[in-house]
Amino acid sequence: MTEFAIPRSIFTDEHQQFRESVKRFYEREIAPHHAKWEEAGIVPREAWLKAGEAGFLCATMPEEYGGAGADRYYSTILMEEQAYVGASGPGFSLHSDIVAPYILNYGTEEQKQKWLPKMAKGEVIGAIAMTEPGTGSDLQGVKTTAVRKGNQFVINGQKTFITNGQNADLVIVVAKTDPKEGAKGMSLFLVEGDREGFTKGRNLEKLGLRAQDTSELFFNDVHVPPENMLGGEGQGFYMLMQELAWERLQIAIGAVAACEAALNWTVAYTRDRKAFGKSIADFQNTRFELAEIKTETQVARVFVDKCIELVAQNKLDVATAAMAKYWCSDLQNKIVDRCLQLHGGYGFMWEYPIARAYADARVQRIYGGTNEIMKELISRTL
Ligand SMILES: Cc1cc2nc3c(=O)[nH]c(=O)nc-3n(C[C@H](O)[C@H](O)[C@H](O)COP(=O)(O)OP(=O)(O)OC[C@H]3O[C@@H](n4cnc5c(N)ncnc54)[C@H](O)[C@@H]3O)c2cc1C
């Protein structure tokens, strides 16, 4: 790994030890299989079970619910090590650091007992379904409805681009319990993968994240009891807004780790590759490119580490998280592109990690709220 002049100061010795075991896990259990999973378009359940067994799922959940009661620095390490091996398929962080916290923060005791221990073991895979074919950025415009009928809610609608969609055993579905209302009419429901009327559509063919089972989901008269509602009726939008800073910072964490990985691969490649009787790394253009890439990555690293520190203290505000998300994902796209260029034709070949990193980088500017929406949020603070 390239050494940066400014050492990272956010991790303790325990965190560093944890990082070693996470690194081993990703190098042994994930990286060697990833190409096969890309062809299959999905990460098999065995990989989830292995991650669960190793204690790498839902680590921040309290021990009584199967987690390790870990802080968000542990989550950060998991995300970084996954990015360092270029494994974009496993939707572990969405499962552990987005879906599980909703259940922990808003679930009833019964819901927590029922789902969290199984999620920590990897026996239940989680997803969250907000986006629909007709609406993404404009979340309040969702058309999926959950209508009360007797003592049940009946869900109808369609979702798309849902991470972990094929594998999902449990989906948090955003639906309107009062379609006349915008934000106030939205509620969240826990829908089990085997609920009658719930079907999984296409596992979508994508530009990148090729081992990720991003899917369409259909809800056709899906009856759920009130016990499946997560949090209060009409509270959906409010709940979705609470953890946005952390959810967006996760994208920035992945982005900076991807820049570091790209830099390392490119330093190694350009030292090895020869042209005109010397290493590519010896051309001044290469050295200047790499110098700029290292500088920009270092700058991003310091900013994101500060944000991680703030999020661990529950002090990261939405606008600062939006800055991290938009700026780091933009940077990732620029850096990966420049690194690919330094690989020449090999950079375009799928077998090279830089080619995959290039394909995987693009979506970072789109999901989790597009970068344009991030700028909207930042501009509101001016
Ligand atoms: C691989 C992948 C995984 C995903 N995973 C999930 C998931 O697990 N769960 C989930 O619910 N969703 C998921 N999404 C959906 C993702 O969050 C949305 O695609 C994203 O929020 C953008 O919504 P949209 O696609 O409808 O684009 P649109 O909202 O239609 O936007 C189109 C363009 O218009 C711009 N735009 C929209 N509104 C404004 C505005 N007010 N001002 C300026 N510009 C604007 C956007 O920035 C964008 O450039 C995933 C998407 C992808 C590609």
Side-chain angles (χ1 to χ4, degrees), residues 35-96:
K36 200 170 57 205
W37 300 342
E38 283 169 359
E39 276 167 33
I42 191 164
V43 174
R45 300 185 82 86
E46 298 90 271
W48 283 83
L49 293 170
K50 278 188 182 161
E53 208 183 338
F56 297 156
L57 296 176
C58 302
T60 60
M61 293 298 110
E63 286 178 34
E64 58 190 301
Y65 302 121
D71 58 37
R72 285 173 174 172
Y73 296 111
Y74 287 91
S75 304
T76 299
I77 290 167
L78 286 160
M79 291 171 211
E80 287 177 352
E81 292 302 322
Q82 184 169 340
Y84 291 152
V85 298
S88 57
F92 295 161
S93 64
L94 177 120
H95 166 93
S96 302

Side-chain angles (χ1 to χ4, degrees), residues 116-256:
L116 293 176
K118 287 189 179 145
M119 286 178 72
K121 286 190 182 134
E123 290 168 1
V124 162
I125 298 175
I128 180 158
M130 297 175 268
T131 307
E132 300 182 354
T135 192
S137 304
D138 183 13
L139 186 57
Q140 297 186 31
V142 293
K143 294 274 183 290
T144 298
T145 53
V147 177
R148 204 183 269 275
K149 208 172 177 189
N151 62 351
Q152 303 254 296
F153 283 94
V154 183
I155 304 175
N156 276 291
Q158 181 182 343
K159 299 288 179 180
T160 195
F161 307 151
I162 306 307
T163 300
N164 298 338
Q166 297 295 315
N167 269 331
D169 304 295
L170 184 69
V171 184
I172 299 177
V173 178
V174 178
K176 286 267 175 81
T177 34
D178 185 351
K180 293 188 299 295
E181 292 282 352
K184 284 190 214 144
M186 288 161 69
S187 304
L188 306 184
F189 291 89
L190 293 169
V191 178
E192 303 89 340
D194 57 1
R195 270 279 154 190
E196 209 182 321
F198 170 27
T199 48
K200 294 164 179 178
R202 283 179 304 153
N203 185 357
L204 299 160
E205 189 80 26
K206 302 187 295 302
L207 176 67
L209 310 189
R210 298 191 66 91
Q212 171 40 236
D213 52 315
T214 316
S215 301
E216 301 174 317
L217 303 178
F218 299 95
F219 302 88
N220 191 7
D221 281 338
V222 180
H223 287 62
V224 293
E227 300 90 84
N228 280 39
M229 186 183 271
L230 186 62
E233 188 168 344
Q235 295 295 303
F237 192 77
Y238 168 77
M239 291 185 277
L240 291 167
M241 295 303 115
Q242 291 312 300
E243 290 281 13
L244 277 180
W246 171 228
E247 291 168 13
R248 290 183 175 143
L249 183 62
Q250 293 176 31
I251 295 173
I253 290 169
V256 180

Side-chain angles (χ1 to χ4, degrees), residues 350-362:
W350 194 251
E351 65 197 275
Y352 279 75
I354 197 68
R356 292 173 151 100
Y358 181 85
D360 292 341
R362 189 61 185 85

